[in-house]
Amino acid sequence: MGKVDFKPGNMLYPLPAVLISTSDGEGCDNLFTVAWTGTVCTNPPMVSISVRPERYSYELLKKTGEFVINLTTKDLVYATDYCGVVSGRDVDKWEKMHLTKVPGTQVNVPYIKESPVNIECRVRKVEALGSHDMFLADVVAVHCDETYMDEQEKFHLDKANPLVYSHGFYYETGKQLGKFGFSIQKKK
C-alpha cells in the first residue's frame, strides 16, 4: 500500500465540533461553531480555541475575554452546523435554534442547557497566528449534564455520543475500543 503526498496542511482529524457561546457583556449573546479547539494544560486547566478575526464573535471575545465551550451531540448536529454557517450579525442563533441560555457561574456568558458539557473560560492570551488567532484560556468552571452521571458520581460522556468533525462532515462517537493503559494491563 502506497502513500499519496499532499501539500502541508492540517490533517489532524477528527476534531471535536463545539458550539462557543460569547457575549458583549451587555446582553448581546452569540453562538458559533469551532473545530479548532483543544486541551492545553491539566494544571492549571487550560484550553484553546482558534478564531478567524473576521468572525462576528471575534470582537465579542476580544471585548469581554470570556467564552463557554459547549460540547455537542447528535441532537445538536443541526444547530452546530447552522451556527457555523450563519452570522450572529444577521440572526439570533439562540432563538432560531431553540437553545436554552443558562447564565454562567464564573463568566458573564450563557451556556447551552442542551449541551452535555459546558466549559466556562477566561482568556489568558490571544496569539495572532495567520488565518486564525488562538485564544488561550483558563477553565474557570465546568457543568455536566446529570443524565450522564452514574451512581458513583462518574461522568460518562461516551453515552452522549459527542460530535466530531472530519473533512467537512460531522460524525457521532460512542464505540469504546479500549481504555487508557489496556495495552499493558495484566490479563486475568
Side-chain angles (χ1 to χ4, degrees):
M1 174 170 38
K3 296 276 187 171
V4 175
D5 291 332
F6 281 88
K7 67 178 180 158
N10 295 312
M11 294 294 283
L12 185 61
Y13 287 105
L15 300 163
V18 299
L19 285 167
I20 304 295
S21 22
T22 59
S23 180
D24 67 357
E26 300 169 20
C28 179
D29 305 322
N30 192 43
L31 292 168
F32 69 108
T33 305
V34 168
W36 302 103
T37 185
T39 299
V40 175
C41 189
T42 300
N43 192 13
M46 296 173 67
V47 295
S48 70
I49 61 172
S50 292
V51 181
R52 290 181 182 272
E54 59 270 16
R55 296 286 299 259
Y56 173 66
S57 282
Y58 180 89
E59 285 306 318
L60 302 179
L61 286 165
K62 291 280 281 193
K63 180 180 178 185
T64 66
E66 298 179 334
F67 62 94
V68 178
I69 298 173
N70 301 278
L71 300 191
T72 59
T73 64
K74 175 175 69 172
D75 294 339
L76 291 169
V77 68
Y78 187 87
T80 302
D81 185 64
Y82 183 88
C83 291
V85 296
V86 174
S87 176
R89 287 183 185 97
D90 306 321
V91 87
D92 180 341
K93 295 184 235 181
W94 289 90
E95 183 179 313
K96 185 78 173 173
M97 292 294 100
H98 308 289
L99 296 171
T100 310
K101 292 182 190 181
V102 177
T105 59
Q106 300 299 311
V107 297
N108 191 26
V109 177
Y111 61 85
I112 302 170
K113 179 180 180 183
E114 294 80 5
S115 168
V117 177
N118 318 93
I119 306 166
E120 295 186 28
C121 303
R122 192 165 290 122
V123 175
R124 177 185 284 218
K125 179 182 180 185
V126 180
E127 185 76 29
L129 300 173
S131 62
H132 291 69
D133 287 0
M134 181 182 67
F135 290 78
L136 183 64
D138 293 301
V139 173
V140 295
V142 176
H143 311 283
C144 298
D145 188 328
E146 63 187 13
T147 303
Y148 306 107
M149 300 293 287
D150 68 18
E151 301 78 32
Q152 288 78 40
E153 298 293 314
K154 183 177 178 191
F155 184 69
H156 294 276
L157 182 61
D158 56 306
K159 293 189 186 326
N161 293 336
L163 285 185
V164 294
Y165 178 83
S166 183
H167 295 281
F169 296 92
Y170 303 99
Y171 299 91
E172 67 176 316
T173 61
K175 182 179 180 186
Q176 180 179 327
L177 302 176
K179 67 175 186 171
F180 180 76
F182 84 100
S183 63
I184 60 170
Q185 190 173 15
K186 293 186 182 191
K187 307 263 190 263
K188 291 183 180 182

